[in-house]
Amino acid sequence: MSTGEYFYLKDLNPSQHEGVINVKGPTMIIAGAGSGKTRVLTTRIAYLMDHYNVDPFNILSLTFTNKASKEMRNRIEKLIGPEARNIWMGTFHAVFARILRTEARHIGYTNNFTIYDTEDSKSLIKNILKSLNLDDKLYKANVVYNRISNAKNRLISWKEYNENPIYKADDEINGRPEMGRIYQIYTLRCLKADAMDFDDLLFKTNVLFQEHLDVLNKYQQRFHYVMIDEFQDTNISQYMIAKKLGAVRQNICVVGDDAQSIYAFRGADIQNILNFERDYPDLQLIKLEQNYRSTKNIVQAANSLIDKNTAQLKKDVWTKNESGELIEIIKSASDNEEGKLVASSIFETKMKNQAYNADFAILYRTNSQSRAIEEALRRMNIKYRVIGGLSFYQRREIKDLVAYIRFVVNSNDETALRRIINLPKRGIGPTTVEKLFLTAEEQGADIWDILRHAQELFGGRSTKQIETFVDLIKNFKNTVKNKDGYEAASMIAKNSGLLKELYDDKTVEGLSRFENVQELLNAIKEFVDDQEREDKSLASFLQDVALLTDEDRNNNNEDTVTLMTIHMAKGLEFPYVYVVGLEEELFPSQMMLGSRADLEEERRLFYVAITRAEKKLHFSYALNRYRFGRLKNCEPSRFLQEVDSNLIHVNRKFLSESPIPNSNLQYARNFIKQNLDKAPGKKIPDHKPSGDFKPSDVSDLSGGMKVEHPKFGFGKVINVENNGTSKKANIDFDLHGQKTLLLSFAKLRII
């Protein structure tokens, strides 16, 4: 039977066809973005079973996500039927956990061993630290866990770790000389508990194959064909397993794209794909270079960028798709304005192209950047969802600091108190907390009163910690009275101990949480610096946040704009993509400027961002960005200069005059009014009060009246709201749009 008789081969392009039918010997398929690699992999497996009658039990297909594995299996089943279910297909960890279940007795485990998740591992580490009387501030569980994890991913056992003078010296320099001892005890405790952690599933498989050649031979004979997807993301441990399994027949096929290797921080080693040919001199190299996803302009932009990398496998990605629109640069004055400009651009594109929210993705380098974007989207009533993390104000570290602020402002806030009373830990346990609340209920008293009189009510040593906490809150209350919102919030973050705890955690997660708290402080600084706000108190900020973050309960089926880091976006595609925060020291990250290898990984990350776009791509940067409470001048990212300038258009409009539905007409008009002064070349001059300007008595102000404000100029009162002690007026100003002003502060002249 000729290959032409297989229906699933007829629509493949020549390179894809070559990748499918050349199944003998070592093969590396370099698959450019959008080139149909999943189709090649699935068709290749179907062809093996269909043309060569390979038993599916003899095929091993390794992926990096369960989603990818499930999609591939479903595609193969559609091509050749239910036999596809018998393929050994899954993630590295899933497949080798399956093998370890069968062979565990060889390495001292039972086949019922427990798999520890990250929190289980950290809990065990904390117990070990306690038993060794080690300082848990110096030996943080996160730091210890990551150190052990990195060692295992490099196939370094605790014995090798303790015998290596480099590791020993490094630990001593960092003030943690007991790290090797902890690794040893941790390993032995896991073994005693018949437990493996996530890294052990790969590490122990290597040990199994290294020490028990009969077991290795068993699986070498079982797997006639080994295929690995996303090969550029493999670490040393993963590559060594695959190499051992494919050593006898050498029918090993790896598929990947060195230009999309972006996970070095997880242990991925780009050298695995760059040096694959060295390990297999008779390698077949096949390149999938036709892009089916993006326009010509987007493909050429990606090519012009990645060409600047020196460590790469050269390829020429091309497409038959239309040229499409030029890439638009959005230049904004600040990160806050960046959010508004991106949101308005999405609004405009939706109206002009009848697009859905789900057609849009906003990609950023760090999670903390989502805050300004989220606020802008919510103000424009554009639904969104954050992927790979909680919404900014729902993140634990943000909720912790907000809870402190809430309790300082309102010391009867029970939820806030329960969150912070022992955060950071100060020796006030849950039993004591419940006793406090029970007493408040019995006495019919406020919880703050009970806290302040704890010594009189309870006595004993346990009340000393409560008194310390009360003194801390009292100091915060005084600060709130005497300082502006930003200064008060910064003092709370610092003196509560929250900021130090996050700063001391040098893991990737710890640094991210620290950046998120700084971003919250940036938001408060912007709030305080906003000249248009009458009430700049922390209480007002909390109200603003509460209204802004009333979560929509989105699910994956809803029509929402997608927000995510670029790392999370890998493998996805969207018609319209916005890459924001393209500034030096943000993207590329300041932490990735120390070596060429790190900078080239950042460039690959930008390449991934570009190649997510199908129809239209936007690059955005701000001239100023709040960082650590200060408005910092920003320099556009060097990456912007590395993209072919012929493919770029600088967008100098704020919001086009595209048709807008009646339901959004008023909102859009006001939005334009409020932001005209921020649009390039459209600065609104400050209003000069009339010569006879004198604030009027506004006690009888009502809707329909015309007024003058010393800054906003002339406007018409829409309505007046009376909420107890605060009386507010909603006024539509001629040049500045709608404003809500507190009448106790506003200076208005009734015309």
Side-chain angles (χ1 to χ4, degrees):
M1 187 181 289
S2 68
T3 60
E5 295 180 51
Y6 298 105
F7 71 93
Y8 43 75
L9 297 178
K10 63 184 179 67
D11 293 328
L12 299 175
N13 68 39
S15 296
Q16 291 174 332
H17 188 271
E18 186 182 359
V20 168
I21 66 171
N22 290 307
V23 296
K24 298 295 184 180
T27 304
M28 180 163 66
I29 301 174
I30 300 300
S35 62
K37 72 176 179 64
T38 302
R39 183 181 188 184
V40 171
L41 261 176
T42 54
T43 308
R44 181 184 176 94
I45 293 173
Y47 185 69
L48 275 171
M49 296 170 62
D50 215 2
H51 184 71
Y52 289 99
N53 295 316
V54 176
D55 190 322
F57 287 100
N58 296 140
I59 298 173
L60 173 63
S61 178
L62 298 169
T63 64
F64 271 84
T65 66
N66 290 314
K67 179 183 177 182
S69 177
K70 184 177 180 180
E71 180 186 351
M72 286 176 60
R73 194 185 297 276
N74 289 340
R75 287 198 193 185
I76 297 168
E77 190 168 350
K78 288 179 180 178
L79 295 178
I80 51 109
E83 272 292 290
R85 299 173 191 175
N86 296 324
I87 300 166
W88 277 68
M89 178 179 287
T91 65
F92 278 88
H93 292 88
V95 168
F96 297 121
R98 179 180 173 185
I99 290 176
L100 286 170
R101 288 285 180 204
T102 304
E103 313 296 344
R105 68 186 185 281
H106 295 288
I107 52 174
Y109 286 81
T110 74
N111 58 8
N112 292 319
F113 66 83
T114 298
I115 299 175
Y116 279 168
D117 63 18
T118 302
E119 292 308 311
D120 294 326
S121 297
K122 290 178 183 177
S123 179
L124 175 56
I125 288 169
K126 288 175 183 177
N127 289 332
I128 293 170
L129 296 175
K130 187 175 181 180
S131 68
L132 295 176
N133 293 316
L134 293 173
D135 184 355
D136 60 3
K137 292 188 176 72
L138 182 60
Y139 289 90
K140 289 184 176 295
N142 267 344
V143 174
V144 176
Y145 172 79
N146 285 329
R147 185 71 166 171
I148 293 173
S149 176
N150 289 336
K152 287 182 180 179
N153 284 329
R154 288 172 172 77
L155 299 180
I156 299 166
S157 68
W158 67 264
K159 290 181 181 178
E160 293 168 319
Y161 189 98
N162 283 316
E163 292 169 358
N164 190 312
I166 296 176
Y167 294 127
K168 185 176 180 180
D170 190 40
D171 288 336
E172 288 179 350
I173 290 172
N174 288 306
R176 291 185 282 267
E178 297 292 330
M179 193 69 80
R181 185 181 174 199
I182 298 168
Y183 185 8
Q184 175 183 351
I185 295 172
Y186 173 80
T187 303
L188 297 177
R189 289 272 291 271
C190 283
L191 180 61
K192 185 178 180 181
D194 196 24
M196 295 187 198
D197 65 23
F198 203 60
D199 296 308
D200 279 331
L201 298 177
L202 300 178
F203 181 80
K204 297 293 185 184
T205 301
N206 271 291
V207 171
L208 176 69
F209 289 163
Q210 183 72 29
E211 297 180 356
H212 300 275
L213 296 181
D214 57 329
V215 177
L216 173 60
N217 182 62
K218 171 183 173 181
Y219 289 98
Q220 286 175 333
Q221 297 304 321
R222 171 170 293 176
F223 300 130
H224 298 183
Y225 294 88
V226 177
M227 277 168 272
I228 305 173
D229 190 16
E230 302 287 7
F231 185 65
Q232 77 280 349
D233 294 335
T234 55
N235 59 30
I236 295 171
S237 182
Q238 290 162 327
Y239 181 40
M240 290 306 297
I241 294 172
K243 187 176 179 182
K244 288 171 184 173
L245 289 174
V248 174
R249 290 179 172 80
Q250 297 218 345
N251 291 327
I252 181 169
C253 173
V254 301
V255 181
D257 182 5
D258 59 295
Q260 297 186 63
S261 179
I262 59 173
Y263 294 120
F265 67 94
R266 293 182 188 169
D269 190 348
I270 192 174
Q271 296 305 317
N272 288 347
I273 193 168
L274 295 180
N275 296 331
F276 192 70
E277 191 169 5
R278 180 193 62 191
D279 293 341
Y280 297 94
D282 56 344
L283 176 76
Q284 295 181 89
L285 179 61
I286 299 168
K287 296 181 181 181
L288 306 181
E289 297 174 308
Q290 183 176 356
N291 179 294
Y292 291 92
R293 175 186 300 159
S294 308
T295 64
K296 282 189 175 70
N297 286 333
I298 293 171
V299 169
Q300 290 170 10
N303 287 345
S304 67
L305 172 83
I306 205 63
D307 188 56
K308 309 300 187 297
N309 271 9
T310 56
Q312 63 171 299
L313 299 168
K314 287 288 185 180
K315 58 184 175 298
D316 182 23
V317 180
W318 58 278
T319 184
K320 290 182 179 179
N321 295 341
E322 63 182 6
S323 294
E325 297 184 62
L326 295 175
I327 298 165
E328 286 199 359
I329 298 273
I330 297 177
K331 174 182 174 183
S332 53
S334 68
D335 50 345
N336 203 36
E337 187 185 39
E338 178 183 53
K340 295 177 182 177
L341 290 172
V342 168
S344 66
S345 176
I346 290 174
F347 184 87
E348 172 192 354
T349 303
K350 282 178 62 182
M351 297 304 106
K352 185 168 67 176
N353 298 336
Q354 287 77 52
Y356 296 98
N357 287 329
D359 294 333
F360 297 84
I362 302 172
L363 309 181
Y364 35 76
R365 180 63 179 82
T366 65
N367 277 313
S368 63
Q369 291 171 252
S370 76
R371 192 264 310 166
I373 303 292
E374 289 185 61
E375 290 179 358
L377 291 172
R378 189 170 291 280
R379 288 192 177 105
M380 290 206 71
N381 296 318
I382 297 174
K383 288 188 175 183
Y384 68 91
R385 61 188 176 115
V386 180
I387 303 297
L390 295 170
S391 176
F392 182 83
Y393 288 104
Q394 293 301 312
R395 291 167 187 157
R396 187 186 74 195
E397 61 276 12
I398 301 304
K399 290 177 75 69
D400 290 344
L401 181 51
V402 168
Y404 261 102
I405 297 172
R406 278 169 47 193
F407 191 69
V408 171
V409 171
N410 174 16
S411 296
N412 290 316
D413 188 331
E414 177 182 339
T415 303
L417 176 61
R418 287 185 181 276
R419 189 176 188 97
I420 68 170
I421 193 168
N422 200 38
L423 183 73
K425 290 183 178 179
R426 52 175 62 89
I428 305 175
T431 302
T432 301
V433 173
E434 291 307 319
K435 187 176 180 181
L436 289 167
F437 279 100
L438 181 62
T439 303
E441 184 177 351
E442 291 174 348
Q443 298 285 333
D446 293 333
I447 189 64
W448 178 239
D449 289 333
I450 299 299
L451 286 169
R452 287 187 296 124
H453 297 95
Q455 181 64 40
E456 302 165 26
L457 291 167
F458 308 113
R461 295 174 57 190
S462 64
T463 58
K464 289 183 179 179
Q465 290 88 348
I466 297 174
E467 288 181 327
T468 301
F469 174 73
V470 168
D471 289 338
L472 186 70
I473 298 300
K474 284 180 178 178
N475 288 335
F476 291 164
K477 286 178 175 289
N478 289 330
T479 302
V480 169
K481 289 179 183 177
N482 301 313
K483 302 286 187 181
D484 70 36
Y486 171 71
E487 291 174 320
S490 297
M491 190 259 204
I492 292 170
K494 180 180 178 182
N495 290 5
S496 66
L498 291 178
L499 209 55
K500 184 179 185 304
E501 186 173 70
L502 294 173
Y503 180 79
D504 288 343
D505 184 356
K506 300 302 183 184
T507 65
V508 173
E509 296 83 3
L511 291 170
S512 178
R513 287 195 289 268
F514 180 76
E515 288 179 355
N516 287 340
V517 170
Q518 292 296 342
E519 185 63 13
L520 175 62
L521 295 176
N522 291 342
I524 297 173
K525 181 66 171 173
E526 288 181 10
F527 184 91
V528 170
D529 287 350
D530 188 348
Q531 297 300 314
E532 298 180 4
R533 291 188 182 276
E534 299 285 352
D535 184 356
K536 301 180 180 182
S537 67
L538 278 178
S540 179
F541 175 78
L542 288 173
Q543 176 179 293
D544 206 46
V545 168
L547 294 173
L548 195 64
T549 60
D550 184 20
E551 278 195 320
D552 295 325
R553 299 188 179 277
N554 289 334
N555 58 52
N556 291 351
N557 295 321
E558 286 195 275
D559 183 31
T560 55
V561 173
T562 300
L563 278 66
M564 68 179 96
T565 64
I566 302 166
H567 283 101
M568 291 298 301
K570 190 166 171 291
L572 303 177
E573 55 192 52
F574 301 87
Y576 307 97
V577 170
Y578 293 77
V579 187
V580 300
L582 279 164
E583 299 134 32
E584 285 292 297
E585 299 186 357
L586 182 57
F587 195 15
S589 167
Q590 186 176 17
M591 298 173 65
M592 300 292 280
L593 298 176
S595 69
R596 179 175 295 279
D598 285 345
L599 180 59
E600 293 201 351
E601 171 139 339
E602 285 290 279
R603 190 176 287 114
R604 292 194 295 270
L605 188 61
F606 189 31
Y607 176 87
V608 168
I610 291 173
T611 54
R612 298 312 93 200
E614 298 172 351
K615 295 181 180 179
K616 184 66 183 286
L617 180 62
H618 292 78
F619 296 153
S620 173
Y621 70 93
L623 297 176
N624 300 279
R625 187 175 294 274
Y626 274 95
R627 301 198 75 181
F628 304 101
R630 293 186 177 182
L631 194 61
K632 177 186 175 183
N633 292 330
C634 300
E635 180 184 349
S637 171
R638 69 189 71 187
F639 294 154
L640 291 172
Q641 300 172 20
E642 294 178 354
V643 175
D644 186 346
S645 60
N646 293 319
L647 305 171
I648 288 177
H649 166 66
V650 178
N651 184 2
R652 298 195 177 279
K653 63 185 177 180
F654 178 70
L655 186 64
S656 78
E657 296 180 358
S658 302
I660 299 172
N662 291 333
S663 59
N664 289 314
L665 187 58
Q666 182 63 33
Y667 181 87
R669 185 173 66 84
N670 289 328
F671 188 85
I672 294 169
K673 282 184 180 180
Q674 291 175 37
N675 291 280
L676 271 173
D677 60 325
K678 297 179 181 178
K682 295 184 179 180
K683 175 71 177 176
I684 296 178
D686 291 336
H687 174 70
K688 294 181 180 180
S690 304
D692 59 346
F693 183 89
K694 183 180 179 181
S696 305
D697 179 1
V698 293
S699 57
D700 294 325
L701 191 71
S702 61
M705 289 185 175
K706 293 184 178 180
V707 295
E708 180 185 8
H709 186 277
K711 178 180 179 180
F712 303 138
F714 297 99
K716 184 178 180 180
V717 178
I718 299 173
N719 59 35
V720 176
E721 300 175 9
N722 194 347
N723 298 321
T725 57
S726 63
K727 197 173 182 181
K728 301 176 182 178
N730 294 311
I731 303 171
D732 186 8
F733 290 100
D734 294 342
L735 293 178
H736 289 270
Q738 286 188 23
K739 303 286 180 186
T740 300
L741 304 179
L742 287 171
L743 294 183
S744 56
F745 292 97
K747 297 177 181 179
L748 297 173
R749 180 176 76 92
I750 299 175
I751 302 172

